[in-house]
Amino acid sequence: MHDFDVIVIGGGHAGTEAAVAAARRGAAAGARVALLTSALETIGQLSCNPAMGGIAKGTVIREIDALGGLMGRATDLATIQFRMLNRGKGPAVWAPRSQADRGLYRRAVRRLLEEQPNIVTLQGTAARLLLAGAEIVAGVETTDGRRFTARAVVITTGTFLRGRIHIGTGASESGGRAGEAATIALAEQFAELGITTARFKTGTPPRIDGRSVALERLERQGSEIEDFDFSWSAFWPTPRRTGTHTRHPEQRDCWITHVEGTAKEVVRERLAESAMYGGAIGARGPRYCPSIEDKIVRFPDAERHQLFLEPEGLDTSELYVNGLSTSLPVDAQLALLHAVPGLERAVMTRPGYAIEYDYVPPTQLHPTLATRVLPGLFLAGQINGTTGYEEAGGQGVVAGLNAAAHALSLDPLVLGRESSYIGVLVDDLVTRGVDEPYRLFTSRSEFRLTVRQDNAIPRLFAIGEALALYTPQEAALAGRRLADEARATVLARETSITPEAVAPVLAAAGERALAHAVPIVEVAKRQKVSLRDLFKAAGTGEALDAASVLTADLELKYAGYLARERAAADRLRRLGDFALPEDAPYPAMQTVSVEARQKLEARRPATLAQASSIPGVSPADLQNLVLEVERWRRG
């Protein structure tokens, strides 16, 4: 008997999602899951920015949510400001983003986690993996000598793996997060097991006391919470606090200012004292979330750099200075803050810092996020070279589902690029690798119209249902969401609307009037006219779910484009059906180009679809690869 079927190491975003995914997938078999973390009170901690979602990232949260995860539900319980980004560009590229109360979010994650009956939370620091022989993971031993056995282990150590914190060139200490110890022993064991590691760096900005800021001089950004939720699971019984919403706390404003003029000069003058530019750190940081030092160096001609002052929570006046990540000395950080408009008298409550840490180059993983060298060991989150809560959570879902599958001898799950942004994320990691901390963008997906923030349930519900991830209540709720979408489409096609009824809607949208009555679907194809407004004008569809109507609206508007994208997705799925042997003799395949052979030998893709996404493998190489593999299989 094993103590557990799955043990998850780490209580951050990847770890909590991995634990829940494993518990849900293994529930029918009575699987037991343990989440082991060095401090139970930090489960679900927002280590850096108190914000969730954004471009592509908001879609990932909704995908996590559609597969039974916590992130969207916890965000709804903790949201103190909500924005739908890209609203000026049309609903197909909208991106939900939320500011969260740190304390509320952490407590929501822990409560939702502990509502899963087959998850046990344990406090302790992992010292090493237990092995059965030399090749199979068998559990975990903690630094205090406890030993827990398991059939599968998921490691989600974030920035803790040999983490080191830097402030300036002279202040440096071991740590995975301010005030918390780094994980050293696991990093040493990785080397013994033949798992290669490398170094990345990231950073965090200073925090300030909002009472010391001249807010009246800054641009205010309000909340749009009245229109949106993150999670589709609207049955959560949280008492109503404001307005008509059941889950959202009181809302807060954000504020916008800029680094310009004197502030830029402070950075230039003190640049050599920065940990990054003074030589204390040699690792590479995230290109798309640069430090203020990087911004000044890379963009010397930029007139100014935007900062967002974001509330940390309802029970504090502390503000997060988004856009000012830095590893300058403390006195330089204070001088920089005081040179920013509106912050001349700002009180710095905590300095920013950089953190350097080990990660595992993810080409050492299977698409299930299992390690190639040690069966039963899975990695998820920042340890795989990514950055961001959402990327970590998405990997946690994949690793948790597959860890449970491994433990219970079930079929593994691989999400394709055509199915989700999570599928794009994992495929990019394991087939292309990373040379800088990876961040998701819509541009990374070939199927941006098909894979949208509004249709995560229509895309992923069938997968979740097949894996038995939902409670009966959740399944019924999702079924109702899908039924409403189908009903909206039928109503749009079968209901006619008169010129008189639709005139106000068309006038407001700047569209030409109708000459005679037409089916609603014909008017809905106009880009500036919403299906919801047309239903209201026609006196129908009032009871339909708003999210369902939005999805139906987009499906009607972009029908031609979606048909072409889905045809391409079908082709990619067919490539995915062609499995490549793990021991295929790529160096001997003479009809495949030398570059492709080298890349295939290094990456060892599981399918032809994965091979197609490796840089340097051409369409001709793929055709020849099929012939070579079939010839090799015949012997």
Side-chain angles (χ1 to χ4, degrees):
M1 287 289 294
H2 291 79
D3 295 316
F4 299 99
D5 293 283
V6 177
I7 295 176
V8 178
I9 299 174
H13 304 286
T16 52
E17 299 297 351
V20 170
R24 283 185 179 250
R25 185 154 198 204
R32 298 186 71 230
V33 177
L35 187 146
L36 176 68
T37 181
S38 57
L40 291 176
E41 61 271 14
T42 63
I43 287 175
Q45 177 121 324
L46 297 172
S47 302
C48 192
N49 192 350
M52 310 298 294
I55 308 300
K57 293 168 173 280
T59 306
V60 170
I61 293 180
R62 288 197 159 151
E63 291 173 354
I64 292 169
D65 187 61
L67 293 171
L70 304 182
M71 193 171 279
R73 305 176 191 207
T75 299
D76 278 344
L77 290 164
T79 290
I80 57 177
Q81 192 200 64
F82 190 100
R83 303 284 295 182
M84 184 65 79
L85 307 182
N86 281 347
R87 292 189 76 178
K89 298 182 180 180
V93 292
W94 286 4
R97 185 181 187 272
S98 171
Q99 289 295 131
D101 179 297
R102 287 188 189 277
L104 290 177
Y105 186 87
R106 186 178 65 249
R107 290 192 290 275
V109 168
R110 187 165 182 184
R111 175 166 71 83
L112 295 171
L113 181 75
E114 293 181 351
E115 283 178 359
Q116 299 293 325
N118 49 344
I119 294 179
V120 176
T121 54
L122 302 170
Q123 181 162 300
T125 301
R128 67 185 185 95
L129 297 170
L130 303 177
L131 305 179
E135 298 182 344
I136 300 175
V137 71
V140 179
E141 182 175 341
T142 63
T143 53
D144 57 17
R146 289 175 293 167
R147 295 162 65 93
F148 301 104
T149 58
R151 294 180 174 86
V153 174
V154 183
I155 296 180
T156 68
T157 48
T159 60
F160 281 72
L161 202 65
R162 222 175 338 229
R164 190 156 198 88
I165 293 171
H166 299 267
I167 302 178
T169 55
S172 172
E173 63 180 11
S174 176
R177 187 163 54 203
E180 297 182 54
T183 299
I184 306 297
L186 273 180
E188 294 171 347
Q189 190 179 22
F190 276 5
E192 297 168 4
L193 294 170
I195 298 174
T196 300
T197 60
R199 298 285 274 179
F200 274 159
K201 75 101 177 174
T202 188
T204 188
R207 274 70 154 175
I208 59 176
D209 189 330
R211 296 171 299 178
S212 63
V213 177
L215 297 177
E216 70 280 359
R217 295 174 51 201
L218 305 183
E219 178 185 345
R220 186 182 72 87
Q221 190 176 66
S223 178
E224 300 172 333
I225 198 63
E226 68 278 1
D227 296 327
F228 303 105
D229 292 312
F230 251 116
S231 178
W232 57 278
S233 51
F235 59 84
W236 295 104
T238 304
R240 296 187 177 195
R241 300 190 184 186
T242 61
T244 60
H245 285 262
T246 59
R247 296 181 300 288
H248 305 304
E250 180 184 343
Q251 298 298 285
R252 288 285 189 267
D253 294 326
C254 288
W255 306 87
I256 300 174
T257 185
H258 300 86
V259 169
E260 56 191 5
T262 305
K264 291 170 61 179
E265 289 305 315
V266 171
V267 177
R268 289 194 186 100
E269 291 171 4
R270 305 292 296 271
L271 195 62
E273 300 173 65
S274 160
M276 188 68 179
Y277 286 88
I281 297 177
R284 189 165 187 176
R287 184 195 318 178
Y288 300 107
C289 188
S291 67
I292 190 61
E293 297 96 302
D294 283 333
K295 291 177 185 177
I296 299 301
V297 171
R298 290 186 201 171
F299 311 106
D301 297 327
E303 184 177 336
R304 59 184 190 174
H305 301 281
Q306 188 167 251
L307 302 179
F308 290 88
L309 306 185
E310 300 171 339
E312 294 266 326
L314 297 177
D315 59 353
T316 177
S317 61
E318 198 170 31
L319 298 175
Y320 179 95
V321 188
N322 191 352
L324 205 68
S325 176
T326 182
S327 60
L328 287 167
V330 172
D331 67 314
Q333 292 186 38
L334 195 56
L336 170 58
L337 284 169
H338 288 168
V340 172
L343 308 187
E344 291 86 353
R345 298 180 180 275
V347 174
M348 184 170 68
T349 55
R350 310 181 214 193
Y353 60 85
I355 182 166
E356 196 175 17
Y357 58 94
D358 279 7
Y359 76 97
V360 173
T363 52
Q364 299 172 90
L365 305 176
H366 292 291
T368 58
L369 295 184
T371 58
R372 295 181 183 273
V373 301
L374 192 62
L377 177 62
F378 297 77
L379 306 182
Q382 224 162 337
I383 192 174
N384 290 338
T386 62
T387 181
Y389 305 146
E390 302 82 3
E391 289 90 341
Q395 292 174 74
V397 171
V398 173
L401 292 175
N402 285 306
H406 177 88
L408 301 171
S409 300
L410 303 173
D411 291 335
L413 172 71
V414 175
L415 295 172
R417 300 181 69 90
E418 76 287 350
S419 72
S420 59
Y421 273 101
I422 295 176
V424 171
L425 162 66
V426 173
D427 186 61
D428 280 353
L429 292 177
V430 303
T431 60
R432 301 180 183 184
V434 295
D435 57 8
E436 63 185 39
Y438 179 98
R439 181 178 180 180
L440 265 175
F441 291 100
T442 53
S443 59
R444 297 192 188 273
S445 173
E446 307 90 325
F447 306 102
R448 293 186 288 278
L449 275 179
T450 306
V451 180
R452 305 185 307 270
Q453 60 87 23
D454 67 278
N455 68 350
I457 286 292
R459 284 187 282 117
L460 298 174
F461 177 71
I463 294 173
E465 192 172 38
L467 299 180
L469 301 184
Y470 308 122
T471 66
Q473 191 176 16
E474 290 169 337
L477 188 68
R480 196 155 61 246
R481 161 87 166 77
L482 297 175
D484 276 2
E485 181 188 336
R487 178 61 180 156
T489 303
V490 170
L491 274 177
R493 288 175 176 156
E494 295 183 350
T495 306
S496 291
I497 192 164
T498 65
E500 296 77 18
V502 78
V505 175
L506 295 179
E511 292 280 343
R512 68 183 184 280
L514 293 182
H516 53 79
V518 298
I520 285 177
V521 66
E522 296 301 321
V523 190
K525 291 178 181 178
R526 301 188 186 187
Q527 293 300 308
K528 297 179 182 179
V529 181
S530 79
L531 184 59
R532 169 63 68 184
D533 288 343
L534 293 173
F535 281 163
K536 185 176 181 180
T540 189
E542 297 91 344
L544 296 176
D545 173 68
S548 300
V549 175
L550 174 61
T551 299
D553 191 2
L554 296 177
E555 293 288 325
L556 294 172
K557 278 181 168 59
Y558 300 105
Y561 297 103
L562 288 167
R564 288 194 287 274
E565 242 186 42
R566 284 167 180 156
D570 287 339
R571 288 194 293 273
L572 186 62
R573 268 191 289 267
R574 288 194 293 273
L575 290 176
D577 290 338
F578 189 91
L580 297 174
E582 191 168 352
D583 56 347
Y586 295 115
M589 295 181 178
Q590 296 301 314
T591 63
V592 179
S593 71
V594 173
E595 181 185 4
R597 276 182 270 162
Q598 293 172 344
K599 296 287 182 66
L600 292 166
E601 176 70 11
R603 298 291 193 266
R604 292 276 159 188
T607 67
L608 202 62
Q610 288 176 18
S612 71
S613 66
I614 298 175
V617 178
S618 70
D621 289 324
L622 294 174
Q623 291 178 351
N624 292 333
L625 178 59
V626 171
L627 297 175
E628 291 275 11
V629 168
E630 289 179 339
R631 187 182 303 123
W632 178 74
R633 282 172 172 158
R634 289 195 300 269

